[in-house]
Amino acid sequence: METARAEGASGSDMTRDPLPAILEVWRAEPVHEHVEWVARELGRPVYLVGGAVRDALLGHRVEDWDLAVVGASEVAAQLTERTGGRLVSLHERVPCFRIVLDRRRPRYCLDISELRGDIVTDLTTRDVTINALALELPSHALLDPLNGLADLQRGVLRAVSLANLQADALRCLRVYRLYSELDFRIEPQTRAWLRQVAPLAPTLPGERLGEEMLKTLVPPRATQAVRLMDEDGLLGHLIPEIEPTRGVGQGGYHHLDVWGHTVEVVAQLEEIIQSPRQHFALTCHEVERYLQHARRAPVLLCTALLHDLAKSETRTRDAEGWWRFYGHDHVGAVLARKIGRRFRMRRHDLDIVSLLIANHLRPLQLAALEFPQDGREPQEITRHALVRMLRAVHPHGPGLFLLALADVRACRGPATIPALQERLAGVLDGMLQRYLDWQRERLAPPLLTGRDLIAAGYEPGERFGEVLAAVEEAQIEDLVSTRAEALAFARRMLGDAP
């Protein structure tokens, strides 16, 4: 599956002369004068290389500038002194350094690595041709030994060689990440090599996997990348827990096996993330605010990718012949945490993934009370049940509802009744709105405090916390709504007389 695209690179006029284009971006960086001064002072060239050159030519923002030099440690020391940045050694065996230029923006940095041979030899060891470009400083000569500019112009991802992919299989994942990020197509020979190298994926170092995977799962082409990685065999080798879900039928509302449904959930979630106003009319502003965080969408899509992997090990058939997957939510949360640790995902990201998977069934279970589809009478969703669920995942309630809606939209397939899905989306939207209303109420002072109990004549003690928590629960359930009612409730727990 190769996605067609128009000739020319997205977001940039590639008909311009490339040298002035990259110099315009480079000279806009305050650090450029320091780098070129060091190159002149040491009397040896410094090369801008890799993704920084590519992104500058595409007109993309560049924060991480890669430099390749002879004598990396000396260059790094000089640049650290001149820029006032913070020097970090990235590799002990191979000289490689990072200078963080702004402590408030840790990604704004210079990465300095030792040249592998001369510059042409160094460039021929890279992953794809569009990353095998270099700008020599201070001469400003643009080097393109592998015709990367032509591939950049055509929007093509072409591996430098099979041997380079085999030397570091993480480069395979990076190709799919660039496919997703740049909307470039992967040329056929490279696709064949990727399939050949895919079995090496389990040998990849975990600390680099998590970040590359999340960078791949960025809308609007995350699902395309997932399907492509799956077709080429890489995904199953990266996450072997996927394999047992293939061909596992579900029955009921499901028209796809577990893995097919999972990919469809990713697709539906990606669509919802890009157009939340179409699905959450009441709470769209809150949902959009939630999605503003740069890592939010890829973490949610990663959650969708992993959310049902435990179904294969929890599948049982009930007395009526229906397939059931009791406990797959909690077993799945544990499994996702295991995968995330293997990938060395950031702890915060992994906590979100695990939390949402453990709770992903709850919104639809509650929604089924108000909007049953099995002939039962509708029931009211109590505020207590709603608040209890959303407090368990706070502050990721919007993410939980996005995942729940994607999950239900991925069912039925051709038998889908759009009107029913819209009604269910409305129920979920209303549930989230009720919770947000409750949150706003909670910003007001509590109905009762420990000082109120002391003023009422009670001695401070261990039971105060228990009583105040019970008053809060009673408020959630609308059993008390005034200070007088709250104090009366507390008196009943503590005894009528102080």
Side-chain angles (χ1 to χ4, degrees):
M1 183 192 80
E2 288 192 20
T3 303
R5 67 179 303 284
E7 291 293 320
S10 173
S12 175
D13 179 8
M14 288 297 296
T15 61
R16 296 173 59 193
D17 184 347
L19 181 57
I22 189 173
L23 285 177
E24 180 181 350
V25 177
W26 172 237
R27 286 169 172 163
E29 291 291 337
V31 74
H32 89 275
E33 293 182 348
H34 300 303
V35 174
E36 300 204 23
W37 183 91
V38 167
R40 288 191 296 269
E41 183 71 11
L42 294 178
R44 69 184 77 137
V46 172
Y47 299 97
L48 286 179
V49 293
V53 178
R54 176 200 71 221
D55 287 344
L57 289 170
L58 290 172
H60 297 176
R61 182 178 181 180
V62 180
E63 290 195 323
D64 185 356
W65 291 93
D66 294 323
L67 307 178
V69 298
V70 172
S73 58
E74 183 181 8
V75 171
Q78 293 238 15
L79 283 173
T80 301
E81 182 178 351
R82 285 190 62 85
T83 63
R86 178 169 60 89
L87 182 63
V88 180
S89 177
L90 298 179
H91 206 296
E92 294 181 0
R93 185 170 55 87
V94 179
C96 188
F97 305 90
R98 172 167 295 169
I99 302 173
V100 180
L101 300 171
D102 187 337
R103 294 175 190 273
R104 297 165 299 178
R105 293 163 54 199
R107 288 186 60 224
Y108 183 46
C109 58
L110 289 171
D111 282 351
I112 305 158
S113 59
E114 190 75 23
L115 267 175
R116 292 165 283 192
D118 59 29
I119 183 60
V120 173
T121 301
D122 185 279
L123 294 177
T124 57
T125 64
R126 296 180 180 265
D127 46 14
V128 290
T129 60
I130 64 171
N131 287 342
L133 300 165
L135 180 68
E136 183 180 289
L137 303 174
S139 70
H140 298 159
L142 185 57
L143 308 177
D144 179 21
L146 299 172
N147 295 317
L149 287 173
D151 286 337
L152 201 64
Q153 172 73 34
R154 291 193 297 266
V156 171
L157 292 170
R158 185 187 311 277
V160 172
S161 71
L162 172 61
N164 288 4
L165 296 179
Q166 291 171 327
D168 182 359
L170 185 73
R171 291 170 174 170
C172 296
L173 181 54
R174 191 175 299 129
V175 173
Y176 296 104
R177 190 252 290 178
L178 292 171
Y179 168 88
S180 172
E181 181 182 306
L182 302 178
D183 192 21
F184 280 20
R185 61 183 178 85
I186 304 173
E187 61 92 24
Q189 180 61 73
T190 299
R191 284 287 301 277
W193 287 343
L194 290 170
R195 291 175 178 142
Q196 187 174 337
V197 179
L200 298 177
T203 67
L204 293 176
E207 63 271 15
R208 294 154 68 194
L209 270 178
E211 286 303 303
E212 282 294 331
M213 180 62 79
L214 287 182
K215 288 176 181 178
T216 304
L217 295 176
V218 174
R221 290 173 290 277
T223 307
Q224 293 177 21
V226 166
R227 294 189 193 278
L228 203 66
M229 286 191 289
D230 194 31
E231 288 178 16
D232 292 346
L234 180 66
L235 199 58
H237 286 291
L238 279 176
I239 310 175
E241 292 85 354
I242 286 171
E243 297 308 310
T245 69
R246 299 184 192 275
V248 176
Q250 303 183 83
Y253 297 118
H254 290 278
H255 67 299
L256 298 170
D257 68 358
V258 172
W259 178 240
H261 170 74
T262 296
V263 176
E264 184 60 22
V265 173
V266 174
Q268 293 291 338
L269 181 57
E270 184 172 35
E271 180 185 326
I272 293 167
I273 285 172
Q274 293 178 90
S275 55
R277 289 175 179 265
Q278 293 183 21
H279 308 281
F280 291 89
L282 298 174
T283 59
C284 59
H285 295 297
E286 186 64 30
V287 171
E288 288 173 341
R289 187 178 301 114
Y290 176 78
L291 292 172
Q292 282 177 353
H293 191 286
R295 297 178 72 85
R296 197 75 80 208
V299 167
L300 287 177
L301 290 167
C302 181
T303 303
L305 188 67
L306 304 179
H307 83 287
D308 271 353
L309 292 189
K311 277 190 170 180
S312 58
E313 62 181 278
T314 58
R315 187 171 79 147
T316 58
R317 195 187 290 272
D318 66 17
E320 297 178 354
W322 292 93
W323 288 113
R324 303 295 182 189
F325 305 91
Y326 296 118
H328 81 272
D329 44 353
H330 297 291
V331 177
V334 174
L335 185 60
R337 189 170 286 279
K338 175 184 173 183
I339 294 168
R341 284 174 178 159
R342 191 169 74 231
F343 278 26
R344 304 286 179 88
M345 287 178 64
R346 296 184 189 179
R347 179 178 295 181
H348 179 66
D349 295 338
L350 185 51
D351 286 344
I352 296 172
V353 170
S354 180
L355 182 69
L356 294 183
I357 290 177
N359 290 277
H360 79 271
L361 297 177
R362 295 176 71 180
L364 295 176
Q365 289 168 342
L366 278 185
L369 296 175
E370 186 173 313
F371 183 46
Q373 299 183 55
D374 56 5
R376 291 177 300 168
E377 287 295 317
Q379 301 178 46
E380 181 185 358
I381 301 170
T382 67
R383 184 161 73 162
H384 179 259
L386 183 60
V387 170
R388 223 170 99 187
M389 176 185 71
L390 286 166
R391 283 171 70 180
V393 298
H394 184 76
H396 301 290
L400 184 65
F401 278 95
L402 289 167
L403 178 61
L405 181 58
D407 203 358
V408 76
R409 284 172 60 88
C411 298
R412 293 184 179 271
T416 296
I417 303 174
L420 292 181
Q421 284 199 345
E422 289 177 13
R423 285 184 60 190
L424 183 57
V427 171
L428 293 171
D429 192 19
M431 289 165 64
L432 183 55
Q433 181 63 60
R434 287 177 60 195
Y435 175 72
L436 294 173
D437 291 342
W438 175 81
Q439 275 193 314
R440 281 187 280 271
E441 291 174 16
R442 292 274 295 139
L443 294 177
L447 290 177
L448 202 67
T449 67
R451 291 179 180 176
D452 294 325
L453 295 177
I454 294 171
Y458 292 96
E459 289 292 328
E462 293 182 0
R463 290 209 66 201
F464 268 31
E466 177 187 342
V467 169
L468 293 173
V471 169
E472 182 179 345
E473 288 292 316
Q475 183 181 355
I476 291 172
E477 297 183 37
D478 290 326
L479 298 176
V480 299
S481 58
T482 66
R483 180 179 176 280
E485 291 173 348
L487 185 57
F489 183 94
R491 286 185 185 280
R492 290 195 293 273
M493 289 191 68
L494 292 167
D496 287 336

